[in-house]
């Protein structure tokens, strides 16, 4: 009889330990899911702001074209860079360093083309004085600020996910689920970003 009670007691302890382990694993899994969802939502905000910038480009080009019709190479470069931006899409579940790098290269190409376009505008003071250009310039500046903010928030969400994912024993649980919980990539500053650009309007 004593052996039976001892066996039942051991079984009860094992069941309690297994139940507590299952509750813990479920808690870690759910917290990783929540953090992953925050990263994906923030990625959507980053894409929204980049899309807003891309949507401003045709209006900006058309406004400048009227005053600087012979600057065709610049307009072509901007148009091609905008097209490349549209071709590089990164799904929220595929935020690898390689995918984010390709995305950022396309966005940097558009930024560079827009910078050349704004240099062209410097040659046309009458264009800079038009209300249409001033409005587009203000919208573009605002969008660039929002892009910077959303990238920062994305990096914060990715850091929170990666920190939770890589802590022990969560790293074991994340590893068990494989690709579902891989580390999230970060936006990084471009080489030379520590030197502020000289922009005059």
């Amino acid at each position: 009889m004593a052996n039976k009670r001892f066996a039942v007691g051991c079984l009860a302890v094992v069941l309690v330990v297994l139940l507590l382990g299952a509750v813990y694993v479920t808690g870690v899994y759910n917290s990783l899911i929540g953090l992953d969802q925050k990263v994906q939502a923030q990625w959507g905000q980053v894409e929204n702001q980049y899309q807003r910038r891309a949507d401003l480009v045709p209006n900006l080009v058309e406004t400048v074209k009227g005053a600087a019709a012979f600057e065709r190479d610049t307009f072509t470069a901007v148009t091609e860079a905008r097209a490349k931006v549209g071709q590089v899409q990164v799904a929220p579940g595929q935020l690898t360093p390689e995918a984010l790098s390709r995305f950022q290269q396309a966005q940097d190409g558009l930024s560079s083309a827009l910078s050349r376009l704004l240099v062209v505008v410097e040659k046309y003071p009458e264009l800079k004085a038009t209300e249409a250009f001033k409005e587009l310039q203000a919208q573009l500046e605002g969008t660039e600020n929002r892009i910077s903010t959303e990238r920062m928030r994305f990096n914060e969400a990715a850091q929170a996910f990666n920190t939770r994912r890589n802590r022990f024993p969560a790293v074991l649980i994340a590893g068990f689920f494989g690709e579902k919980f891989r580390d999230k990539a970060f936006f990084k500053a471009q080489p030379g970003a520590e030197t502020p650009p000289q922009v005059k309007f």
Side-chain angles (χ1 to χ4, degrees), residues 82-143:
R82 183 180 182 272
K84 285 180 185 172
V85 162
Q87 294 168 357
V88 179
Q89 299 296 320
V90 178
Q94 302 298 319
L95 292 169
T96 63
E98 299 79 22
L100 201 56
S101 176
R102 284 192 308 274
F103 180 84
Q104 192 54 49
Q105 284 176 346
Q107 295 297 336
D108 289 345
L110 181 56
S111 294
S112 177
L114 284 172
S115 294
R116 288 194 304 272
L117 180 65
L118 294 175
V119 167
V120 166
V121 170
E122 286 298 312
K123 300 177 190 174
Y124 303 93
E126 70 281 357
L127 172 61
K128 291 191 329 185
T130 66
E131 285 305 312
F133 180 77
K134 285 180 183 177
E135 175 64 24
L136 286 168
Q137 180 184 6
Q139 287 186 33
L140 190 60
E141 287 172 1
T143 300

Side-chain angles (χ1 to χ4, degrees), residues 46-76:
V46 169
E47 287 184 314
N48 285 343
Q49 294 309 318
Y50 275 120
Q51 184 61 52
R52 176 177 160 73
R53 179 176 75 167
D55 291 345
L56 288 171
V57 169
N59 292 337
L60 186 63
V61 168
E62 287 304 314
T63 301
V64 175
K65 245 186 208 181
F70 62 89
E71 301 281 357
R72 190 159 313 282
D73 289 346
T74 302
F75 301 134
T76 302

